[in-house]
Amino acid sequence: MRIMLACAQGMSTSLLVAKMKEAAELNEVDVEIFAAPEAEIPKHKAEIDIVLLGPQVAYLLEDTQEVLADTNIPVTVINSVDYGMLNGGKVLDVALKLIEKTKEGEK
């Protein structure tokens, strides 16, 4: 699984990526997590399973959903409290559940 966190420049989400990777390792979850600027979403859409938008770019939710409309990639905005507290475990859990829900919907 590949999780993409997107924000304006891809830098502010990098701390959360590190915390999510720690949580994945602790829970033995095989996942690749990376941060990138939101402008790079189209470039990565063939290789990702979900896009998590930083709260500061929540206004891009609809635009991002349109960019990914030809895929089955879910998009959601990271909870601002979890983002601010760098709660990597919680954000990872939300992402994994949304990926699973999307895959179940494909069946």
Side-chain angles (χ1 to χ4, degrees):
M1 281 186 286
R2 293 197 67 193
I3 299 172
M4 177 180 184
L5 278 69
C7 64
Q9 299 297 322
M11 294 187 299
S12 64
T13 53
S14 61
L15 291 172
L16 183 57
V17 166
K19 294 294 187 178
M20 290 175 70
K21 286 180 177 180
E22 287 176 18
E25 191 174 313
L26 279 172
N27 293 297
E28 299 179 1
V29 176
D30 185 21
V31 64
E32 184 178 336
I33 307 164
F34 67 100
E38 55 81 20
E40 291 186 15
I41 292 171
K43 180 175 110 176
H44 292 286
K45 72 181 188 177
E47 61 196 44
I48 55 177
D49 295 294
I50 190 168
V51 174
L52 304 177
L53 296 173
Q56 69 276 31
V57 293
Y59 64 93
L60 295 172
L61 180 61
E62 287 184 28
D63 291 343
T64 304
Q65 289 169 331
E66 287 179 25
V67 166
L68 299 174
D70 62 335
T71 71
N72 202 23
I73 298 170
V75 182
T76 193
V77 176
I78 301 167
N79 176 285
S80 60
V81 173
D82 293 334
Y83 187 89
M85 299 293 291
L86 297 176
N87 191 339
K90 180 86 179 278
V91 176
L92 178 63
D93 188 48
V94 168
L96 295 175
K97 286 179 180 172
L98 191 51
I99 291 169
E100 187 62 34
K101 183 178 176 182
T102 302
K103 287 184 179 182
E104 287 175 8
E106 291 177 353
K107 295 178 183 176

